[in-house]
Amino acid sequence: MVLLWLVAVAGLGVASKAVGSAYSDNFSLPGTESTKALQLLQKSLPAQSGDSATVVWQTGEGSTVKDPAVQQRMTATLGKVAKLPSVTSVTSPYTARGARQISKDGRTAYAQISFDQLGNKLPKGDIQRVVDTAEQARTAGLRVELGGNSISQTERTPPSSSEAVGVLAAAIVLFLAFGSLFAMLLPILTAIAGVGTGLLTVGLLTHALDIGQIGPILGALIGLGVGIDYALFIVTRHRSGLRAGMTVEESVVKAIDTSGRAVLFAGATVVIALLGMLVLGMSFLNGLAIASATTVVATVLAAITLLPALLGFLGMRTLSRRERRLTAAGTPSGGGVWQRWASVVQRRPGLLSTVAIVLIGVLTLPVFSLRLGSSDAGNDPSSTTTRQAYDLLATGFGPGFNGPLQLVAQTPAPADQQALGRLVDEVGHLKGVASVAAPPMPPGSKIGIVQVIPTTSPQSKQTADLIDRLRHDVVPAAERGSTMKVYVGGATAIFVDFAGVLTGKLPLFLGVIITLGFILLLIAFRSLLVPATAAVMNVLAAGASFGVIVAFFQWGWGSELIGLGAAGPVEAFLPVIMLSVLFGLSMDYQVFLVSRMHEEWVHTRDNARAVNVGQAQTGRVITAAATIMIAVFIAFVFGGQRVIAEFGIGLAAAVALDAFILRTVLVPSVMHLFGAANWWLPRWLDRRLPHLSVDPPDGDPVPLAEPELQPNHG
């Protein structure tokens, strides 16, 4: 088995090196105004439908951008940029057309670069040539920076350091939990093998599917977390078998037949939750779903095939020397802290469930002010050229210059030009508009373009409100009595539309993943209350974790502390992806917790004992697994990308709440309150449901999760 994995990884590595990868950030928003504006430009004025970038320069005190030396240097530089591949034109502030591109104090100027394609289709090498050429103009008294979505693609930092930090943190937690170097290494090696295989496979899939640049980062983040956890559950069960006196082979077989079943089921729920994004019908999210699901599948396969082989090689060395001595001497261990905590929960279920619900409710409150959108370059790391260009433009011209709007007008009749002129005048007097410009169109053109500069930044709520006002009030009024049709477009409008489309589809998405999760748990545990409880808990965990994200990033309580900019909107696609991951991970812990309870219920038909024993014997491993996952997620926060940091903070908060509040307090408390009703299922429904067991076959004794956690029944 180990040789098969080595051959598979080597083969995927050779194939990946031979054909490379073809990641693409394509996404479409059919039917939205911004898309209609873009399509109109692509059809009628293709030269103006590509992406754009900005070169910004600023002189030192006592000089201006019109000084002969500065003007000569920048004119020569812009001339070189204009001749580079993929560049269609450069609008210089030293020409009549760009005369307004110099700030009032004369110290800041910018040039507009137009490309022949959208940013996600531009070759990275062409963008890098533009950056390198422009930066060569820098001198001691002349700052030169570049901004734009296309430029930001050259600044994405690889997640390798984050992965290494996460793995190191996981190793420390595993060593503290097991006290054995070999037991510590096994989950990490298994997870790395699974994640590596998954990411290599994803790289090959990019030649057949549209998978964005964030796909492998998200896959690594999720894959490392669940991969280490899945291996941890199996290793823990195997260690308990060894300490119960089983041979190595018997213990490995039993671990796979018990925890291995739960890993398969839990992994399937994560994959189903991730693939639930496919119902949204957006190619950008489809790619992320497939990339993440592929990585999870690979980690599950590693846990149930590679890990048992490694356990067989190590034999008794998965136990520490002290544990081996105690096992050989037949020395039993005490009940442990988790047994004592399970007894506390059993005695005070009402009080503890109330406290847990209040805590979750307080953390959920910020969700009611959630605003979806897209953070702008003002939240990029301060060392990046896009952030510095953003700051220069905001200082010299106002924050709205970083996200101009485009009014793209169809003017089929001659009188429509007059209607467009009246619209330009009216927009220029609107509150929230800094300036309006309508560049001359080619003779005979029936398309008009109006550039609107807001007074506020692209990510601000005021800019989104301005777009809504233009679309719903100003533009419709101007179109009355004419054949003119106007669409509000531009990069800022595209992100606003993206947020609107996703928000509208969230109820469908939530309904699909909740329903699928309910059905899976219903079939597995033959109960109505268990899956209903899980669904409610998942919603609570999601609400509280989104509350943490809103407070941290939208309210700005922590984003500036870690160098990720000021307060700004939550990324539009974050809820969809996070809900997929959260529902999958929450289901993991629910499966491991309730499957042990269900084992005890099947053997004793005593609900109080089943809940007590299940909590006592899974509490340690669930919280250890959660600690590892939190460490992995937090490590990704410091990679310098705001959107990845949002995932890291949100998922870390969700896992912490899920493991330390929901699964160790609220779930066992409400199950004590429900009593035997937890396991009730109408007979007619039981007869119709397929049989899919998470429990091991009946007849063989099941070793407890860790002997030191065995309940003491007197």
Side-chain angles (χ1 to χ4, degrees), residues 15-200:
S16 180
K17 190 167 184 63
V19 302
S21 60
Y23 290 102
S24 171
D25 289 321
N26 290 336
F27 73 93
S28 59
L29 300 170
T32 61
E33 269 208 40
S34 56
T35 297
K36 292 176 181 177
L38 182 60
Q39 291 172 342
L40 190 58
L41 284 176
Q42 289 173 334
K43 181 179 179 180
S44 305
L45 300 168
Q48 299 188 43
S49 63
D51 211 332
S52 63
T54 306
V55 180
V56 189
W57 59 97
Q58 185 183 69
T59 60
E61 293 288 347
S63 61
T64 71
V65 295
K66 290 186 177 181
D67 288 351
V70 175
Q71 183 169 341
Q72 182 179 1
R73 187 174 186 86
M74 291 309 304
T75 300
T77 299
L78 296 178
K80 293 177 184 177
V81 170
K83 296 176 182 178
L84 293 175
S86 299
V87 176
T88 58
S89 66
V90 176
T91 305
S92 169
Y94 302 122
T95 63
R97 185 179 175 187
R100 303 174 70 177
Q101 296 170 196
I102 298 177
S103 64
K104 291 181 180 179
D105 63 5
R107 291 185 53 220
T108 307
Y110 70 92
Q112 201 75 27
I113 303 173
S114 298
F115 294 105
D116 57 7
Q117 298 184 75
L118 293 177
N120 50 30
K121 296 182 179 179
L122 285 170
K124 280 190 176 180
D126 291 354
I127 303 174
Q128 190 62 52
R129 288 188 191 96
V130 171
V131 174
D132 294 340
T133 303
E135 289 181 344
Q136 288 175 3
R138 292 173 176 168
T139 64
L142 181 65
R143 288 183 62 187
V144 180
E145 307 293 346
L146 294 96
N149 292 325
S150 55
I151 304 300
S152 65
Q153 295 182 33
T154 67
E155 297 183 322
R156 287 176 176 159
T157 54
S160 55
S161 59
S162 300
E163 293 171 358
V165 171
V167 169
L168 178 61
I172 294 172
V173 175
L174 286 170
F175 186 76
L176 292 175
F178 290 147
S180 165
L181 178 64
F182 291 112
M184 174 200 78
L185 289 175
L186 284 179
I188 292 176
L189 290 175
T190 304
I192 290 175
V195 170
T197 302
L199 294 183
L200 288 172

Side-chain angles (χ1 to χ4, degrees), residues 521 525 527 530-531 533-534 587-601 610 614-615 618 622 663 667 671 678-679 694-695:
L521 290 182
F525 295 118
S527 162
V530 166
T533 302
M587 202 70 77
D588 277 3
Y589 294 141
Q590 182 76 357
V591 167
F592 285 110
L593 174 65
V594 177
S595 63
R596 186 62 192 93
M597 294 177 178
H598 192 245
E599 288 178 20
E600 197 67 24
W601 166 257
Q615 181 183 5
T618 60
I622 285 177
R663 308 303 159 187
V667 169
M671 291 187 75
N678 286 308
W679 315 105
V694 182
D695 299 336

